[in-house]
PDB file of all heavy atoms in Angstrom:
ATOM      1  N   THR A 117     296.511 -21.739  74.256  1.00 88.00           N
ATOM      2  CA  THR A 117     295.771 -22.946  74.609  1.00 88.00           C
ATOM      3  C   THR A 117     296.474 -24.178  74.045  1.00 88.00           C
ATOM      4  O   THR A 117     296.619 -25.191  74.739  1.00 88.00           O
ATOM      5  CB  THR A 117     294.320 -22.859  74.087  1.00 88.00           C
ATOM      6  OG1 THR A 117     293.695 -21.705  74.661  1.00 88.00           O
ATOM      7  CG2 THR A 117     293.531 -24.108  74.416  1.00 88.00           C
ATOM      8  N   THR A 118     296.941 -24.075  72.814  1.00 83.00           N
ATOM      9  CA  THR A 118     297.676 -25.177  72.197  1.00 83.00           C
ATOM     10  C   THR A 118     298.965 -25.447  72.956  1.00 83.00           C
ATOM     11  O   THR A 118     299.315 -26.606  73.224  1.00 83.00           O
ATOM     12  CB  THR A 118     297.985 -24.850  70.721  1.00 83.00           C
ATOM     13  OG1 THR A 118     296.753 -24.652  70.029  1.00 83.00           O
ATOM     14  CG2 THR A 118     298.777 -25.960  70.061  1.00 83.00           C
ATOM     15  N   GLN A 119     299.681 -24.384  73.322  1.00 82.00           N
ATOM     16  CA  GLN A 119     300.924 -24.546  74.066  1.00 82.00           C
ATOM     17  C   GLN A 119     300.659 -25.241  75.403  1.00 82.00           C
ATOM     18  O   GLN A 119     301.416 -26.125  75.809  1.00 82.00           O
ATOM     19  CB  GLN A 119     301.592 -23.196  74.294  1.00 82.00           C
ATOM     20  CG  GLN A 119     302.891 -23.303  75.078  1.00 82.00           C
ATOM     21  CD  GLN A 119     303.492 -21.943  75.359  1.00 82.00           C
ATOM     22  OE1 GLN A 119     302.926 -20.908  75.040  1.00 82.00           O
ATOM     23  NE2 GLN A 119     304.653 -21.939  75.971  1.00 82.00           N
ATOM     24  N   GLU A 120     299.607 -24.857  76.086  1.00 86.00           N
ATOM     25  CA  GLU A 120     299.261 -25.490  77.353  1.00 86.00           C
ATOM     26  C   GLU A 120     298.969 -26.977  77.159  1.00 86.00           C
ATOM     27  O   GLU A 120     299.400 -27.813  77.964  1.00 86.00           O
ATOM     28  CB  GLU A 120     298.059 -24.797  77.987  1.00 86.00           C
ATOM     29  CG  GLU A 120     298.365 -23.431  78.551  1.00 86.00           C
ATOM     30  CD  GLU A 120     297.126 -22.699  79.056  1.00 86.00           C
ATOM     31  OE1 GLU A 120     296.047 -23.328  79.185  1.00 86.00           O
ATOM     32  OE2 GLU A 120     297.224 -21.498  79.318  1.00 86.00           O
ATOM     33  N   ALA A 121     298.255 -27.324  76.082  1.00 82.00           N
ATOM     34  CA  ALA A 121     297.939 -28.728  75.807  1.00 82.00           C
ATOM     35  C   ALA A 121     299.204 -29.525  75.510  1.00 82.00           C
ATOM     36  O   ALA A 121     299.362 -30.660  75.988  1.00 82.00           O
ATOM     37  CB  ALA A 121     296.957 -28.826  74.642  1.00 82.00           C
ATOM     38  N   VAL A 122     300.115 -28.937  74.736  1.00 82.00           N
ATOM     39  CA  VAL A 122     301.375 -29.616  74.419  1.00 82.00           C
ATOM     40  C   VAL A 122     302.198 -29.819  75.687  1.00 82.00           C
ATOM     41  O   VAL A 122     302.755 -30.899  75.916  1.00 82.00           O
ATOM     42  CB  VAL A 122     302.175 -28.827  73.360  1.00 82.00           C
ATOM     43  CG1 VAL A 122     303.594 -29.341  73.223  1.00 82.00           C
ATOM     44  CG2 VAL A 122     301.462 -28.891  72.011  1.00 82.00           C
ATOM     45  N   MET A 123     302.283 -28.795  76.524  1.00 86.00           N
ATOM     46  CA  MET A 123     303.040 -28.918  77.769  1.00 86.00           C
ATOM     47  C   MET A 123     302.427 -29.986  78.677  1.00 86.00           C
ATOM     48  O   MET A 123     303.150 -30.776  79.282  1.00 86.00           O
ATOM     49  CB  MET A 123     303.106 -27.569  78.502  1.00 86.00           C
ATOM     50  CG  MET A 123     303.970 -26.539  77.795  1.00 86.00           C
ATOM     51  SD  MET A 123     305.657 -27.095  77.494  1.00 86.00           S
ATOM     52  CE  MET A 123     306.253 -27.302  79.150  1.00 86.00           C
ATOM     53  N   LYS A 124     301.111 -30.043  78.757  1.00 85.00           N
ATOM     54  CA  LYS A 124     300.454 -31.067  79.567  1.00 85.00           C
ATOM     55  C   LYS A 124     300.785 -32.444  79.018  1.00 85.00           C
ATOM     56  O   LYS A 124     301.097 -33.364  79.784  1.00 85.00           O
ATOM     57  CB  LYS A 124     298.949 -30.843  79.596  1.00 85.00           C
ATOM     58  CG  LYS A 124     298.211 -31.853  80.476  1.00 85.00           C
ATOM     59  CD  LYS A 124     296.729 -31.579  80.505  1.00 85.00           C
ATOM     60  CE  LYS A 124     295.911 -32.522  81.338  1.00 85.00           C
ATOM     61  NZ  LYS A 124     296.419 -33.786  81.688  1.00 85.00           N
ATOM     62  N   LEU A 125     300.759 -32.602  77.710  1.00 83.00           N
ATOM     63  CA  LEU A 125     301.082 -33.876  77.086  1.00 83.00           C
ATOM     64  C   LEU A 125     302.524 -34.276  77.399  1.00 83.00           C
ATOM     65  O   LEU A 125     302.794 -35.431  77.747  1.00 83.00           O
ATOM     66  CB  LEU A 125     300.867 -33.793  75.568  1.00 83.00           C
ATOM     67  CG  LEU A 125     301.177 -35.050  74.774  1.00 83.00           C
ATOM     68  CD1 LEU A 125     300.189 -36.155  75.124  1.00 83.00           C
ATOM     69  CD2 LEU A 125     301.118 -34.736  73.288  1.00 83.00           C
ATOM     70  N   LEU A 126     303.451 -33.328  77.297  1.00 83.00           N
ATOM     71  CA  LEU A 126     304.856 -33.622  77.593  1.00 83.00           C
ATOM     72  C   LEU A 126     305.050 -34.012  79.052  1.00 83.00           C
ATOM     73  O   LEU A 126     305.770 -34.963  79.361  1.00 83.00           O
ATOM     74  CB  LEU A 126     305.726 -32.408  77.258  1.00 83.00           C
ATOM     75  CG  LEU A 126     305.913 -32.099  75.774  1.00 83.00           C
ATOM     76  CD1 LEU A 126     306.643 -30.766  75.609  1.00 83.00           C
ATOM     77  CD2 LEU A 126     306.658 -33.214  75.079  1.00 83.00           C
ATOM     78  N   ILE A 127     304.411 -33.288  79.943  1.00 84.00           N
ATOM     79  CA  ILE A 127     304.538 -33.581  81.370  1.00 84.00           C
ATOM     80  C   ILE A 127     303.918 -34.938  81.686  1.00 84.00           C
ATOM     81  O   ILE A 127     304.530 -35.770  82.367  1.00 84.00           O
ATOM     82  CB  ILE A 127     303.907 -32.459  82.219  1.00 84.00           C
ATOM     83  CG1 ILE A 127     304.769 -31.200  82.104  1.00 84.00           C
ATOM     84  CG2 ILE A 127     303.749 -32.896  83.675  1.00 84.00           C
ATOM     85  CD1 ILE A 127     304.122 -29.955  82.667  1.00 84.00           C
ATOM     86  N   ASP A 128     302.711 -35.188  81.171  1.00 77.00           N
ATOM     87  CA  ASP A 128     302.066 -36.478  81.405  1.00 77.00           C
ATOM     88  C   ASP A 128     302.905 -37.622  80.854  1.00 77.00           C
ATOM     89  O   ASP A 128     303.050 -38.664  81.487  1.00 77.00           O
ATOM     90  CB  ASP A 128     300.662 -36.509  80.786  1.00 77.00           C
ATOM     91  CG  ASP A 128     299.665 -35.624  81.511  1.00 77.00           C
ATOM     92  OD1 ASP A 128     299.981 -35.160  82.632  1.00 77.00           O
ATOM     93  OD2 ASP A 128     298.577 -35.388  80.946  1.00 77.00           O
ATOM     94  N   SER A 129     303.475 -37.413  79.686  1.00 77.00           N
ATOM     95  CA  SER A 129     304.320 -38.429  79.067  1.00 77.00           C
ATOM     96  C   SER A 129     305.566 -38.690  79.906  1.00 77.00           C
ATOM     97  O   SER A 129     305.968 -39.838  80.099  1.00 77.00           O
ATOM     98  CB  SER A 129     304.707 -37.988  77.656  1.00 77.00           C
ATOM     99  OG  SER A 129     305.588 -38.911  77.079  1.00 77.00           O
ATOM    100  N   ALA A 130     306.190 -37.636  80.401  1.00 72.00           N
ATOM    101  CA  ALA A 130     307.398 -37.790  81.216  1.00 72.00           C
ATOM    102  C   ALA A 130     307.088 -38.508  82.518  1.00 72.00           C
ATOM    103  O   ALA A 130     307.839 -39.388  82.952  1.00 72.00           O
ATOM    104  CB  ALA A 130     308.023 -36.423  81.500  1.00 72.00           C
ATOM    105  N   VAL A 131     305.978 -38.169  83.139  1.00 72.00           N
ATOM    106  CA  VAL A 131     305.587 -38.820  84.387  1.00 72.00           C
ATOM    107  C   VAL A 131     305.277 -40.290  84.119  1.00 72.00           C
ATOM    108  O   VAL A 131     305.718 -41.173  84.858  1.00 72.00           O
ATOM    109  CB  VAL A 131     304.389 -38.099  85.045  1.00 72.00           C
ATOM    110  CG1 VAL A 131     303.805 -38.923  86.173  1.00 72.00           C
ATOM    111  CG2 VAL A 131     304.815 -36.726  85.526  1.00 72.00           C
ATOM    112  N   GLU A 132     304.540 -40.568  83.064  1.00 69.00           N
ATOM    113  CA  GLU A 132     304.189 -41.951  82.715  1.00 69.00           C
ATOM    114  C   GLU A 132     305.437 -42.759  82.399  1.00 69.00           C
ATOM    115  O   GLU A 132     305.558 -43.914  82.803  1.00 69.00           O
ATOM    116  CB  GLU A 132     303.229 -41.959  81.514  1.00 69.00           C
ATOM    117  CG  GLU A 132     302.701 -43.330  81.156  1.00 69.00           C
ATOM    118  CD  GLU A 132     301.839 -43.947  82.246  1.00 69.00           C
ATOM    119  OE1 GLU A 132     301.210 -43.209  83.020  1.00 69.00           O
ATOM    120  OE2 GLU A 132     301.809 -45.188  82.333  1.00 69.00           O
ATOM    121  N   GLU A 133     306.378 -42.167  81.686  1.00 64.00           N
ATOM    122  CA  GLU A 133     307.621 -42.852  81.337  1.00 64.00           C
ATOM    123  C   GLU A 133     308.404 -43.231  82.591  1.00 64.00           C
ATOM    124  O   GLU A 133     309.023 -44.290  82.657  1.00 64.00           O
ATOM    125  CB  GLU A 133     308.478 -41.954  80.445  1.00 64.00           C
ATOM    126  CG  GLU A 133     309.713 -42.636  79.896  1.00 64.00           C
ATOM    127  CD  GLU A 133     310.446 -41.727  78.928  1.00 64.00           C
ATOM    128  OE1 GLU A 133     309.828 -41.314  77.944  1.00 64.00           O
ATOM    129  OE2 GLU A 133     311.623 -41.444  79.197  1.00 64.00           O
ATOM    130  N   ASN A 134     308.355 -42.398  83.606  1.00 63.00           N
ATOM    131  CA  ASN A 134     309.053 -42.691  84.853  1.00 63.00           C
ATOM    132  C   ASN A 134     308.355 -43.787  85.653  1.00 63.00           C
ATOM    133  O   ASN A 134     308.968 -44.406  86.521  1.00 63.00           O
ATOM    134  CB  ASN A 134     309.183 -41.434  85.715  1.00 63.00           C
ATOM    135  CG  ASN A 134     310.296 -40.550  85.225  1.00 63.00           C
ATOM    136  OD1 ASN A 134     311.259 -41.032  84.643  1.00 63.00           O
ATOM    137  ND2 ASN A 134     310.164 -39.256  85.451  1.00 63.00           N
ATOM    138  N   ARG A 135     307.095 -44.025  85.390  1.00 63.00           N
ATOM    139  CA  ARG A 135     306.358 -45.062  86.112  1.00 63.00           C
ATOM    140  C   ARG A 135     306.649 -46.452  85.560  1.00 63.00           C
ATOM    141  O   ARG A 135     306.451 -47.434  86.239  1.00 63.00           O
ATOM    142  CB  ARG A 135     304.860 -44.802  86.028  1.00 63.00           C
ATOM    143  CG  ARG A 135     304.418 -43.645  86.861  1.00 63.00           C
ATOM    144  CD  ARG A 135     302.910 -43.584  86.890  1.00 63.00           C
ATOM    145  NE  ARG A 135     302.517 -42.302  87.424  1.00 63.00           N
ATOM    146  CZ  ARG A 135     301.485 -41.605  87.015  1.00 63.00           C
ATOM    147  NH1 ARG A 135     300.718 -42.069  86.067  1.00 63.00           N
ATOM    148  NH2 ARG A 135     301.203 -40.448  87.556  1.00 63.00           N
ATOM    149  N   HIS A 136     307.038 -46.538  84.307  1.00 58.00           N
ATOM    150  CA  HIS A 136     307.262 -47.818  83.650  1.00 58.00           C
ATOM    151  C   HIS A 136     308.712 -47.905  83.203  1.00 58.00           C
ATOM    152  O   HIS A 136     309.429 -46.925  83.163  1.00 58.00           O
ATOM    153  CB  HIS A 136     306.329 -47.967  82.445  1.00 58.00           C
ATOM    154  CG  HIS A 136     304.891 -47.912  82.822  1.00 58.00           C
ATOM    155  ND1 HIS A 136     304.269 -48.903  83.530  1.00 58.00           N
ATOM    156  CD2 HIS A 136     303.954 -46.959  82.623  1.00 58.00           C
ATOM    157  CE1 HIS A 136     303.003 -48.579  83.732  1.00 58.00           C
ATOM    158  NE2 HIS A 136     302.783 -47.396  83.205  1.00 58.00           N
ATOM    159  N   GLY A 137     309.108 -49.101  82.864  1.00 58.00           N
ATOM    160  CA  GLY A 137     310.481 -49.304  82.411  1.00 58.00           C
ATOM    161  C   GLY A 137     311.191 -50.222  83.385  1.00 58.00           C
ATOM    162  O   GLY A 137     310.658 -51.235  83.807  1.00 58.00           O
ATOM    163  N   TYR A 138     312.361 -49.857  83.770  1.00 59.00           N
ATOM    164  CA  TYR A 138     313.164 -50.677  84.667  1.00 59.00           C
ATOM    165  C   TYR A 138     313.156 -50.098  86.070  1.00 59.00           C
ATOM    166  O   TYR A 138     313.243 -48.896  86.258  1.00 59.00           O
ATOM    167  CB  TYR A 138     314.606 -50.761  84.161  1.00 59.00           C
ATOM    168  CG  TYR A 138     314.709 -51.478  82.838  1.00 59.00           C
ATOM    169  CD1 TYR A 138     314.779 -50.773  81.645  1.00 59.00           C
ATOM    170  CD2 TYR A 138     314.708 -52.865  82.802  1.00 59.00           C
ATOM    171  CE1 TYR A 138     314.854 -51.442  80.438  1.00 59.00           C
ATOM    172  CE2 TYR A 138     314.788 -53.539  81.594  1.00 59.00           C
ATOM    173  CZ  TYR A 138     314.860 -52.817  80.413  1.00 59.00           C
ATOM    174  OH  TYR A 138     314.934 -53.477  79.224  1.00 59.00           O
TER     175      TYR A 138
END
Side-chain angles (χ1 to χ4, degrees):
T117 301
T118 300
Q119 180 183 4
E120 288 174 12
V122 168
M123 290 304 297
K124 182 179 180 340
L125 179 67
L126 289 173
I127 290 169
D128 290 348
S129 176
V131 168
E132 186 64 28
E133 187 175 302
N134 281 332
R135 288 189 193 143
H136 300 290
Y138 295 98

